[in-house]
Amino acid sequence: MSILIQNMWPLLLKIYDAASMQRWNDQIRTVDLTELDKQAHKMIIAYVLGKSEENIGIEKINWIEIIEAGIFEFLQRIILTDLKPALFHRIKEDKEKYERLNQWVYKRIIPFIIPLGEGFCSRFKSYLMDRERNVDRRIISAAHFYSTKWEFDVIERANPQGYSIEEIRKDLDSKQEKYHDLKSMQILLQAEELKDFIDLCAQLRFQIRWSHMHMVPKISVLGHMLIVAMFTYLFSLRIGVDDQRAIKNYFTGLFHDLPEVLTRDVISPVKRSVEGLTDLIKEYEREEMEKKIYKLIPAQWHKDMKMFTEDEFDDLIVSNGDKIERDGKLVKAADDLAAYIESWLSLKNGIQNKSLDKAGRFIREKYKFETISDIDFGKFYKKIFKDDYGIKKILFLCTGNSCRSQMAEGLMKYFGGERFEVFSAGSASIEVNPLSIRVLREIGVDISGQKLKHLKDFLGKKFDYVVTVCNNAKQICPVFPGDYNKEHWDLYDPDSVEENEEEKIKVFRDIRDKIKENILLFLEKLD
C-alpha cells in the first residue's frame, strides 16, 4: 500500500522560511548570509566532527541523534526568526525562561510536524526541554559555533574596524575555549586539510541555483543540499526505514551536489538537450573529486563520500539482493521536489517567467504516475496542483462519441489531466470505435476503459470549456449554465471513410495527430 505525504506540504514549505532569514544584518556584509546556508554549513561541519570522533574510537557516535538535533535546531530557529542571537543566548542562561521559550516554540511548530508521527514530535519536545550535553549534542553545538565563527571571519575581513567587531571577536574567542576538550574540535582546529574541506563546501553558499533568472527567494546550492537531506530523512521516517538506511539517505542528500563546487551547476535543460553531456559531467566530477576533494579528508571517509556523490540517485542494494541499503531514487525525488518548490515559490512571489512554469510542469509530469520507496508522488503533485490552481472542467462533443471526442478525452487526460477534469459526449451514442483505441495505444495512451456518454447526461451541468469537434455537434450544441469558454475544432470523421482497414487506420492516425496538436496548442495558450 502506497504512503501519502500530502499532509507534509505545509512543513516542506515552512523549511524555506530559512532562505529569507538574513544573518548579521546589523553588520556590513559583502555577501548575503542566510540562516538556511548557516544550518547547511553547520551540518557539514557536524559530519566532519562526528567522523573525526569515530576515527579516534573513544566515543560511539549516534548519527540519528546528530541528524535530528540539526533538524530540531533548524525548526526552532525558523520560529525564533526575529530573536537576535545575543538575546537568545542570554535567555538560554536562565533555565526557567528558556523552558518557557521552548514551550512556546513547540506550540508554534507542532501543527507542522504532526504528520511525522508521535515519536518524532516527542523527540523534538524532549530535545527542546532537555539540557543534557552528550557527545552528539556537543558535536552539534561545536558545529554551530564553528560556522558562526566562519561567518564572522567573512564580516571582519570586510570591516575590521567596524562597530562591535572587537567585542564579537573576544566573545567568540572565549566561547571557543568551551570546545577544547572535544577531541574532534582539537583535530579540526589543527588540521589544515579539514579546514580547507569545510571552506570548499562553504563556497557553495555563494553559488546560486537558477542563476540565469531572478528568483524569490534565492537558494544557494549549499542550502538546497540541506533541504534535500531533510526532505529525504523526513520521507525515510514516513516509510519506516532502519537507522543505517536513514543515515545514508540523509548524508547522500547533504553531499549530493558537492561536486558542483568544482564544476558549477549546469541547468537541467542544457543537460537534457545535449546527448551524452550528463555522463561527461559526471566523469569530470569524479576526476576533480579525486584531485581536489579526497586529498582533504581521511582515506577511511572516501568510500562514504563516493557513495554520497557518485551514482547518488541509484538505490544501493545489499549483495544478497533483497535489502535496500540507500534509497537513491528517493533522494532524486526529494531533489526534484526541492526544485519544484523553488520554482513554485518564485511564481507565487510574483516572478513572471515561462521557464519556471515549464520547469514545474516538467517535474509534475515526470512524477505523474510515480511511486518511489512506497511514497505516491503522483498523488502528491496532483493534490498540491489542484489546491493551488483548481481543476477546470472540459467537455468534448461530437456526433457519436465514438472516435473524435473519445480520442480528445483520452489525449487531454494524458497531457492535461492534472489541470482538467475531462469529459466527452455525443448527440447519438454508438460505441467506442476499436480503431480509436488502437491508434491511441500506439502512442502510449489507453482509452479502453472510457465509456460512451450521451449529451443529455450533461445538460444543466457546469463546465469551464466546451469544445465541439465536428460541425454537427457545433450546430446542436446546447447552452450550459454559467460562464464558459467555447471552441470548435472542425475535424473530419475518420469512421466515415469507406476504405480497407489499412487505409482507414491511416485516417484515424491523421485525426489522432491533429487532435493531439490542437490539445497541445490549447494548453500552450493557457500558459
Side-chain angles (χ1 to χ4, degrees):
M1 184 176 177
S2 60
I3 295 170
L4 302 179
I5 58 170
Q6 287 88 319
N7 57 359
M8 291 179 66
W9 179 244
L11 173 60
L12 303 182
L13 288 183
K14 189 68 177 172
I15 286 170
Y16 281 84
D17 286 0
S20 301
M21 292 171 60
Q22 293 291 320
R23 293 178 51 79
W24 303 94
N25 55 1
D26 57 348
Q27 298 290 334
I28 294 175
R29 298 169 298 161
T30 55
V31 292
D32 278 345
L33 298 170
T34 69
E35 190 65 36
L36 177 60
D37 291 341
K38 157 67 184 288
Q39 297 291 332
H41 197 192
K42 178 177 82 173
M43 293 312 294
I44 285 176
I45 297 165
Y47 177 82
V48 170
L49 294 175
K51 294 297 286 186
S52 297
E53 290 286 342
E54 285 186 335
N55 287 355
I56 299 167
I58 299 175
E59 298 280 0
K60 183 170 176 59
I61 300 304
N62 185 335
W63 285 106
I64 290 292
E65 186 163 340
I66 287 176
I67 290 167
E68 292 199 342
I71 294 173
F72 296 156
E73 291 186 3
F74 180 97
L75 295 174
Q76 180 194 45
R77 192 63 198 147
I78 286 176
I79 298 300
L80 299 175
T81 176
D82 295 325
L83 205 59
K84 290 178 72 69
L87 177 57
F88 177 68
H89 291 301
R90 189 79 170 269
I91 293 173
K92 284 183 75 172
E93 293 171 1
D94 187 314
K95 182 179 178 181
E96 184 179 342
K97 289 181 180 177
Y98 188 55
E99 283 184 359
R100 288 208 310 269
L101 178 68
N102 279 326
Q103 287 169 357
W104 179 81
V105 167
Y106 186 72
K107 287 179 181 178
R108 293 284 300 275
I109 201 65
I110 188 66
F112 295 94
I113 64 174
I114 279 178
L116 298 173
E118 186 178 336
F120 183 86
C121 296
S122 177
R123 294 194 300 276
F124 185 24
K125 188 173 185 179
S126 296
Y127 186 87
L128 292 177
M129 302 306 172
D130 184 5
R131 305 190 72 175
E132 181 186 349
R133 288 290 181 264
N134 58 24
V135 65
D136 305 307
R137 293 186 71 159
R138 294 208 69 217
I139 283 172
I140 282 291
S141 178
H144 180 92
F145 166 79
Y146 193 97
S147 59
T148 298
K149 178 69 164 55
W150 187 93
E151 289 179 330
F152 174 73
D153 290 343
V154 171
I155 289 168
E156 186 179 29
R157 283 195 291 270
N159 187 29
Q161 306 305 318
Y163 174 73
S164 74
I165 289 292
E166 181 65 25
E167 180 184 346
I168 296 171
R169 185 192 307 114
K170 288 180 179 179
D171 179 60
L172 289 173
D173 288 343
S174 68
K175 286 179 178 175
Q176 184 167 308
E177 296 292 327
K178 298 178 182 178
Y179 301 104
H180 276 181
D181 64 323
L182 191 63
K183 297 295 184 182
S184 56
M185 193 66 159
Q186 295 176 25
I187 292 170
L188 175 56
L189 294 174
Q190 296 171 14
E192 293 301 321
E193 292 88 354
L194 287 180
K195 287 191 281 189
D196 287 345
F197 174 74
I198 289 172
D199 286 348
L200 194 62
C201 293
Q203 288 184 26
L204 291 170
R205 283 174 172 246
F206 313 119
Q207 190 167 312
I208 304 301
R209 287 171 56 81
W210 309 78
S211 58
H212 58 297
M213 62 181 74
H214 186 56
M215 301 289 287
V216 179
K218 292 182 182 296
I219 307 290
S220 72
V221 173
L222 186 64
H224 170 78
M225 288 157 61
L226 177 63
I227 287 171
V228 173
M230 289 194 291
F231 281 10
T232 307
Y233 182 76
L234 298 178
F235 294 155
S236 298
L237 290 182
R238 288 296 300 269
I239 62 178
V241 305
D242 62 66
D243 286 355
Q244 288 305 310
R245 187 167 153 190
I247 292 165
K248 289 173 182 174
N249 287 350
Y250 177 87
F251 284 110
T252 299
L254 187 64
F255 286 106
H256 78 282
D257 273 343
L258 176 58
E260 288 185 10
V261 75
L262 307 171
T263 61
R264 193 172 181 266
D265 188 20
V266 181
I267 59 175
S268 293
V270 175
K271 290 179 183 176
R272 292 194 299 267
S273 62
V274 181
E275 185 178 354
L277 180 59
T278 299
D279 292 337
L280 182 62
I281 291 171
K282 292 297 291 184
E283 182 60 35
Y284 178 72
E285 286 176 346
R286 290 189 184 97
E287 293 173 1
E288 291 297 290
M289 289 284 289
E290 290 286 350
K291 287 191 287 187
K292 298 178 181 177
I293 298 291
Y294 294 132
K295 69 178 184 180
L296 301 178
I297 58 177
Q300 55 264 54
W301 302 6
H302 290 187
K303 181 180 177 181
D304 281 352
M305 194 58 64
K306 287 182 179 182
M307 176 177 64
F308 301 150
T309 60
E310 297 179 14
D311 302 318
E312 65 275 19
F313 298 141
D314 292 341
D315 288 347
L316 290 183
I317 310 295
V318 178
S319 56
N320 59 20
D322 61 354
K323 184 180 178 182
I324 295 178
E325 189 175 353
R326 194 271 312 276
D327 298 88
K329 292 177 183 176
L330 185 62
V331 178
K332 179 56 178 172
D335 181 54
D336 284 338
L337 177 56
Y340 178 81
I341 295 177
E342 289 164 19
S343 65
W344 184 91
L345 284 171
S346 284
L347 291 168
K348 282 292 180 184
N349 287 323
I351 303 302
Q352 300 298 316
N353 191 302
K354 287 186 177 181
S355 295
L356 287 177
D357 187 57
K358 185 177 180 181
R361 283 191 282 113
F362 175 84
I363 292 171
R364 290 196 305 272
E365 189 65 29
K366 177 179 177 180
Y367 289 93
K368 193 172 185 178
F369 305 109
E370 286 291 325
T371 296
I372 297 170
S373 298
D374 294 328
I375 294 177
D376 193 330
F377 282 94
K379 287 185 179 178
F380 173 79
Y381 280 106
K382 185 175 183 179
K383 175 71 164 58
I384 298 311
F385 187 86
K386 181 177 179 180
D387 290 349
D388 202 33
Y389 296 100
I391 299 292
K392 305 293 185 183
K393 289 186 176 182
I394 187 168
L395 174 65
F396 293 98
L397 291 177
C398 69
T399 303
N401 193 220
S402 173
C403 303
R404 291 159 292 183
S405 58
Q406 289 283 354
M407 285 195 279
E409 177 186 348
L411 287 165
M412 180 58 85
K413 284 178 177 176
Y414 186 82
F415 290 109
E418 65 177 11
R419 307 167 71 173
F420 288 96
E421 194 173 353
V422 189
F423 305 90
S424 69
S427 57
S429 298
I430 308 169
E431 64 176 351
V432 180
N433 192 300
L435 293 181
S436 299
I437 298 172
R438 176 178 166 182
V439 296
L440 284 188
R441 188 172 285 150
E442 290 175 354
I443 60 171
V445 180
D446 183 9
I447 64 169
S448 60
Q450 290 180 190
K451 306 297 183 185
L452 288 172
K453 286 87 64 181
H454 196 282
L455 174 58
K456 65 182 180 182
D457 297 332
F458 295 95
L459 296 178
K461 295 185 178 180
K462 290 186 177 182
F463 292 94
D464 298 286
Y465 296 89
V466 175
V467 181
T468 51
V469 294
C470 70
N471 288 327
N472 184 53
K474 180 182 180 183
Q475 292 169 7
I476 65 168
C477 183
V479 175
F480 292 91
D483 294 328
Y484 61 94
N485 296 281
K486 194 172 180 180
E487 286 203 20
H488 176 63
W489 300 347
D490 186 9
L491 299 172
Y492 184 77
D493 182 4
D495 200 32
S496 66
V497 177
E498 296 183 2
E499 300 284 350
N500 59 45
E501 185 171 330
E502 185 178 342
E503 291 301 319
K504 201 163 190 173
I505 197 72
K506 289 180 181 179
V507 177
F508 268 82
R509 287 179 182 133
D510 288 342
I511 293 299
R512 173 201 66 192
D513 293 342
K514 181 61 178 175
I515 293 172
K516 176 183 174 182
E517 179 184 347
N518 285 357
I519 283 173
L520 293 177
L521 287 172
F522 177 85
L523 294 172
E524 188 176 335
K525 282 194 297 181
L526 292 182
D527 295 333

